[in-house]
Amino acid sequence: MYAYIKGTLEEMAEDNIVVEAGGIGYNVKVSTTTADLLPPLGNEVKIYTYTLVREDTFSLYGFMTRDDLEIFRKLITVNGIGPKGGLAILSVMSADALRFAIMAGDAKAIAKAPGVGSKTAERVILDLRDKISLGDTLRGLGESAPSMNGALSSGGSQDNLMKKEAIEALVALGYSASDAATAVKKVEVTEDTTVESILKAALKYMF
């Protein structure tokens, strides 16, 4: 119903904000991650929204980016993960970290969310693994991520492959997929970069 709300941030609570737009104050439920990114009260804010309409409720869920909104939409399609569970997961990990956890089968990282047990986390991985592309997963690593389904011909694709191999190697060493992705994301890739050099640089960020 609402693509986004743009207005003045009037109130902030632990999991709810009020945005005034056009003389109307909108209650918007947000994750901890979103709340941490908000500007001080009185400033203008743009919140991408998901509208939940049921017989007994009309609720808005807000996100700072379209990316967060889209991963939230995917999360709530999973049996046992309603809007509350979706916000809980996005309160303990970013959209990028969640994608890596799903691709790597890292149920422990997802299960850190309040109210999300190991079985539910495994269901998230099972249901969403085929709905998240490698290109989406690598999108936040600094290079534009083209489709990885066909032949790999561009430099960006090669960079992403090296980063993926580095993440897989870190996971094999015992690091969580989300921690590995965060570390690799910080590594700058140049023409001389190799998987080994990415690994060495990423390990410095692990400690």
Side-chain angles (χ1 to χ4, degrees):
M1 180 178 293
Y2 300 110
Y4 63 82
I5 297 174
K6 187 176 182 180
T8 304
L9 181 61
E10 293 290 346
E11 298 179 21
M12 287 179 59
E14 183 177 354
D15 59 356
N16 189 86
I17 62 174
V18 175
V19 179
E20 182 180 338
I24 300 175
Y26 294 90
N27 276 304
V28 184
K29 298 181 184 299
V30 297
S31 68
T32 302
T33 302
T34 297
D36 289 342
L37 296 174
L38 290 169
L41 293 178
N43 282 266
E44 185 177 77
V45 66
K46 182 177 181 179
I47 299 291
Y48 294 93
T49 56
Y50 173 82
T51 306
L52 176 66
V53 180
R54 291 177 179 167
E55 291 183 2
D56 58 345
T57 186
F58 181 99
S59 301
L60 292 174
Y61 295 82
F63 308 89
M64 293 296 289
T65 68
R66 291 184 185 277
D67 189 36
D68 288 342
L69 173 59
E70 289 308 310
I71 199 69
F72 175 78
R73 288 180 182 275
K74 287 183 172 67
L75 275 172
I76 61 177
T77 66
V78 177
N79 185 31
I81 298 288
K84 184 177 180 180
L87 283 188
I89 291 174
L90 292 176
S91 288
V92 299
M93 61 197 328
S94 67
D96 283 334
L98 175 58
R99 289 192 186 94
F100 278 108
I102 291 171
M103 296 290 287
D106 190 355
K108 289 184 178 180
I110 300 173
K112 291 179 181 179
V116 178
S118 58
K119 289 186 178 179
T120 302
E122 290 170 359
R123 190 179 302 123
V124 169
I125 293 170
L126 182 64
D127 288 2
L128 298 187
R129 180 174 284 161
D130 293 336
K131 298 179 181 179
I132 294 176
S133 70
L134 182 58
D136 288 339
T137 307
L138 294 172
R139 180 168 50 194
L141 290 178
E143 295 287 338
S144 59
S147 172
M148 305 291 280
N149 296 324
L152 296 170
S153 57
S154 71
S157 296
Q158 183 60 39
D159 290 348
N160 286 332
L161 275 179
M162 289 193 296
K163 290 174 180 177
K164 178 177 179 291
E165 289 179 17
I167 291 168
E168 290 174 344
L170 288 170
V171 171
L173 289 172
Y175 297 102
S176 72
S178 55
D179 286 344
T182 299
V184 170
K185 185 176 181 178
K186 297 176 181 178
V187 178
E188 182 179 356
V189 176
T190 67
E191 293 181 359
D192 299 325
T193 299
T194 63
V195 174
E196 184 179 359
S197 64
I198 293 176
L199 267 174
K200 290 179 179 179
L203 282 169
K204 295 179 181 178
Y205 294 111
M206 304 297 285
F207 302 99

